[in-house]
Amino acid sequence: MVIIELSELLTEEADAIFHLPYGKTTIPLSVPDTLSMDTITYRTDKEDASLLTSQTRIAQALSQPIGTPRLSELADGRHSAVIMVSDGTRLCPSHLLLPPLLQELNQAGIPDEAIDIIIALGMHRKHTPEEMQQLVGAAVYGRIRVHNHSAASEDCILLGTSQSGTPIEINRLAVKADLKIATGNIEPHALVGISGGIKALIPGIASQRCIEHNHSLSQHYKAVPGEPDNPIHRDMEEALRFLSVDFLLNVVVNHEKHVLEAAAGHVLSAHKMLISRASSRFLVPVQHVYDMTVVSPGGHPKDLQLYQAIKALRNASMLTKTGGTIIMAAECSEMLGNGVFQFWVETMKDRQRMVEKLKQQFHLGAHKILHLDEVLSKQRVYLYSTIPRPIVGLLGLLHTDDIQQVFDDFTSTTGKTVALMPYGSLTYPQLP
């Protein structure tokens, strides 16, 4: 079992005070000396996580690409380039990835005015100019055009259809560019197995109908977190039959966006090299399940909205006994984070009706209700959040504005086993 006591979470007092990540701050949880609580988290290396080592690892990856020439050689003779970057709900440090990529492109003769950056939103909300600047860095924002991706069909070009029937419909600006560069960070992913790589293309800059059909495959196939060999991920990769992604820069990062691993080069080969390294950090062996799990997605941006925070809840569920209790601290300053999800929750008769309808026909956004139902059919969930109490109730969760009280009431009975997951969105429990 991986049980790690993290110094930034713990204050030495009469009782142990754990500081749970919550938005851009923390909330305290007092744990009595008499209670044994295991802290379960992903593997992180404090000694090698810094801005300097992040920049060094990125530079090394670009200087030794896997399966392609250097980007400056690849770009020689090209007239335009598009760089796909992750949106603000991800931990990818795009502001660190972009300057060296632009340097390589400029060195090859592609000027700033022939380069476009597309925020690979998929179906997430568009970013404001201020958010764009924060995402890519002020210096880059002042040099390069930055675009929100639009998943509307009129803003995409239909290139073909996959063997699974997915319409490969991709952002018009990217299709027309001479050179296409994908960036992103790699984590396990419950729906497609692993993030990074081809996900910058699909769902990143794909049309709504492309994304919805690809994601609907999850009704028939279940991915294993950390494993890309599944029909849903293969369907995404099939897009490369119709459109090239010429170069990839992917990273593995910790919860502070420090780069722990980096790889560049061929979109599949470079990605594959990092998969095992990411999995060894984020897939966490545990020996048993617990009566209660206290979980945080890891603070901002992982708890920006419930749409993303549900990932941490599902990971906590894996760690919790059937009939057990989960307490999740997730700020959710953007509420549910998806209009379709919110509409279903607020207007549909009950969760059973929603689940039945979703099993009959996949609805992108509303599919998160299925993920919630997986948890709520096994455990009771308390949510500490800025989401209003009535909406929390409609979700089937129990609202609390006092985590300490819920924790104390539960642990007042002796013999209870308790786990703490401070970075639940990055921690994937693996039971024997």
Side-chain angles (χ1 to χ4, degrees), residues 159-181:
L159 302 172
T161 305
S162 75
Q163 294 181 48
S164 296
T166 299
I168 307 303
E169 202 168 28
I170 304 298
N171 184 286
R172 185 176 298 274
L173 185 62
V175 172
K176 293 184 175 181
D178 284 348
L179 189 70
K180 301 166 188 62
I181 302 165

Side-chain angles (χ1 to χ4, degrees), residues 3-10 18 37-41 420:
I3 302 176
I4 303 174
E5 298 296 339
L6 297 179
S7 58
E8 78 260 26
L9 296 170
L10 180 61
F18 287 85
M37 183 169 73
D38 293 338
T39 302
I40 312 296
T41 188
L420 176 70

Side-chain angles (χ1 to χ4, degrees), residues 14-92:
D15 288 342
I17 306 296
F18 287 85
H19 296 277
L20 291 169
Y22 182 79
K24 295 183 179 180
T25 182
T26 61
I27 56 174
L29 180 68
S30 177
V31 180
D33 291 341
T34 54
L35 179 68
S36 176
M37 183 169 73
D38 293 338
T39 302
I40 312 296
T41 188
Y42 74 99
R43 181 172 68 84
T44 182
D45 301 322
K46 283 289 178 183
E47 68 279 2
D48 67 1
S50 69
L51 174 60
L52 180 60
T53 52
S54 293
Q55 292 172 324
T56 300
R57 290 188 174 107
I58 292 166
Q60 288 175 341
L62 288 172
S63 68
Q64 300 173 331
I66 300 166
T68 67
R70 278 193 71 134
L71 180 57
S72 56
E73 297 177 45
L74 203 60
D76 187 35
R78 311 283 183 114
H79 300 291
S80 63
V82 154
I83 306 174
M84 301 161 236
V85 300
S86 301
D87 69 36
T89 66
R90 310 305 187 192
L91 286 171
C92 186

